[in-house]
Amino acid sequence: VPLFFLISGFVLELNYPFHANYLTYLKKRFNKILIPYVFWSAIYYFFVYTHHKINFFQTLLGGNASYQLYFIPSLLIFYLLFPFIHRYYQTLSKKSILLVLGSLQLILLSLDYYAHAVPFFYPINIVLLNYFVFFLGVSASHHHERIMTFIKKWISVITLMAVATGLFIFFEGRYFYLKTHNYLSFYSQWRPSVFFYTLFLTPSLYYFLSQLKLGHGIKKFSHLSFFVFFVHVIVLETAWDFIEAPLFKDNPQIIHQVWYDPLWFLLVSGISFLLAYVVRKLPFASKITG
């Protein structure tokens, strides 16, 4: 998710000069994400997870209709704030200010993971825990050539650090889970180690994917990915009811086989992308479903 926010900042900054004004920018961005978000939230709220303690409007504000939707309200806040970030980019990108903003980000991440949750209501807390990676994405769009030159020179070190921080994240989560029995020790993406992992993983992926010359294929997948993001939980729940649950009931040890998770991932993602491909063939479907 931090990588997603970083990419969002990068793409918004690249495209913002093509918007006539703030209102046209908001209309285009919110149409792309808000309409599909409301549509899928309604699907999950009324047809998939139907036991509720809050009304539909509150669900929309919190991204609670399904668990993968939780960061969409935070992204919408970033969309609202972005034109102001764009306007004051030159000031915010000064080294001294970047150092202060980055240090504050690490302090917030440390408090949230090692002490207690950041004491701000959702979705403001997600914004506060990701504002720096979002701004790094904005900044990176202005220095593409310099960044690529740096990456080419240090790619071995960067990749090694991505692997090292990835391993550290795993063992850190394992240690705190065994210590506290809080499953969020594993699942939390808001911690300093994930912040540094994002900084090393991003250039590594950017470099190696650009070397593979997969631009056309990546573009095709990206057109389908937003729909897949929304629908994959429905596919997961359906596949569980009709395939996994009966298998698990008859053979409970199957879930521990080394091939099980990769195969399950391929099944769910394959069906999700197939659905996305079919639905996007329908006129105007993408405007509603993403």
Side-chain angles (χ1 to χ4, degrees), residues 163-222:
V163 173
T165 50
L167 289 171
F168 180 82
I169 286 169
F170 172 78
F171 287 106
E172 177 186 54
R174 180 178 183 272
Y175 171 78
F176 282 107
Y177 174 74
L178 293 175
K179 184 178 179 180
T180 65
H181 297 289
N182 182 354
Y183 74 96
L184 292 177
S185 301
F186 261 129
Y187 286 108
S188 175
Q189 300 189 58
W190 324 126
R191 37 178 162 157
S193 55
V194 175
F195 173 82
F196 288 112
Y197 176 63
T198 304
L199 297 187
F200 292 121
L201 179 69
T202 304
S204 300
L205 288 175
Y206 188 70
Y207 175 81
F208 288 115
L209 289 173
S210 64
Q211 297 302 303
L212 293 174
K213 308 296 182 184
L214 296 174
H216 184 66
I218 290 175
K219 189 175 182 180
K220 277 192 171 183
F221 271 95
S222 70

Side-chain angles (χ1 to χ4, degrees), residues 55-88:
N55 61 44
F56 182 61
F57 179 72
Q58 291 174 304
T59 299
L60 287 177
L61 292 178
N64 297 321
S66 181
Y67 54 84
Q68 86 274 27
L69 304 178
Y70 76 96
F71 66 89
I72 298 296
S74 304
L75 181 63
L76 292 173
I77 292 175
F78 276 124
Y79 280 3
L80 286 170
L81 296 176
F82 169 74
F84 302 100
I85 296 173
H86 172 80
R87 180 181 298 179
Y88 297 107

Side-chain angles (χ1 to χ4, degrees), residues 10-212:
F10 185 92
V11 174
L12 283 173
E13 182 68 11
L14 284 180
N15 290 310
Y16 189 71
F18 298 101
H19 295 286
N21 54 53
Y22 183 64
L23 290 178
T24 58
Y25 153 79
L26 281 183
K27 181 180 178 181
K28 183 177 180 180
R29 286 293 158 187
F30 273 65
N31 281 347
K32 279 190 172 182
I33 192 169
L34 186 60
I35 293 174
Y37 172 61
V38 173
F39 172 80
W40 285 106
S41 292
I43 295 293
Y44 282 103
Y45 186 89
F46 294 108
F47 300 105
V48 182
Y49 302 120
T50 56
H51 300 288
H52 311 291
K53 295 181 179 179
I54 56 177
N55 61 44
F56 182 61
F57 179 72
Q58 291 174 304
T59 299
L60 287 177
L61 292 178
N64 297 321
S66 181
Y67 54 84
Q68 86 274 27
L69 304 178
Y70 76 96
F71 66 89
I72 298 296
S74 304
L75 181 63
L76 292 173
I77 292 175
F78 276 124
Y79 280 3
L80 286 170
L81 296 176
F82 169 74
F84 302 100
I85 296 173
H86 172 80
R87 180 181 298 179
Y88 297 107
Y89 162 77
Q90 294 293 342
T91 302
L92 292 171
S93 61
K94 291 181 179 180
K95 290 182 179 179
S96 57
I97 294 179
L98 280 177
L99 183 63
V100 171
L101 292 175
S103 299
L104 287 173
Q105 182 76 98
L106 286 172
I107 291 171
L108 287 172
L109 290 169
S110 298
L111 288 173
D112 189 76
Y113 187 69
Y114 299 116
H116 51 77
V118 172
F120 293 94
F121 63 87
Y122 181 86
I124 299 298
N125 60 337
I126 303 297
V127 173
L128 290 174
L129 294 170
N130 289 277
Y131 72 84
F132 193 69
V133 289
F134 181 82
F135 183 71
L136 283 179
V138 173
S139 180
S141 69
H142 289 273
H143 305 285
H144 175 264
E145 292 184 4
R146 289 175 59 190
I147 291 172
M148 198 60 184
T149 300
F150 178 84
I151 293 172
K152 288 179 179 178
K153 182 179 180 180
W154 295 99
I155 186 60
S156 298
V157 175
I158 293 170
T159 304
L160 181 64
M161 291 303 296
V163 173
T165 50
L167 289 171
F168 180 82
I169 286 169
F170 172 78
F171 287 106
E172 177 186 54
R174 180 178 183 272
Y175 171 78
F176 282 107
Y177 174 74
L178 293 175
K179 184 178 179 180
T180 65
H181 297 289
N182 182 354
Y183 74 96
L184 292 177
S185 301
F186 261 129
Y187 286 108
S188 175
Q189 300 189 58
W190 324 126
R191 37 178 162 157
S193 55
V194 175
F195 173 82
F196 288 112
Y197 176 63
T198 304
L199 297 187
F200 292 121
L201 179 69
T202 304
S204 300
L205 288 175
Y206 188 70
Y207 175 81
F208 288 115
L209 289 173
S210 64
Q211 297 302 303
L212 293 174

Side-chain angles (χ1 to χ4, degrees), residues 226-270:
F226 200 38
F227 183 97
V228 170
F229 162 74
F230 284 120
V231 81
H232 80 275
V233 173
I234 295 175
V235 176
L236 187 66
E237 293 284 0
T238 305
W240 166 260
D241 289 338
F242 289 98
I243 300 174
E244 191 170 37
L247 283 175
F248 183 73
K249 181 179 179 181
D250 296 334
N251 187 8
Q253 295 302 317
I254 195 173
I255 200 170
H256 301 297
Q257 299 295 320
V258 69
W259 50 265
Y260 184 82
D261 282 341
L263 187 63
W264 186 246
F265 170 79
L266 289 173
L267 174 68
V268 172
S269 58

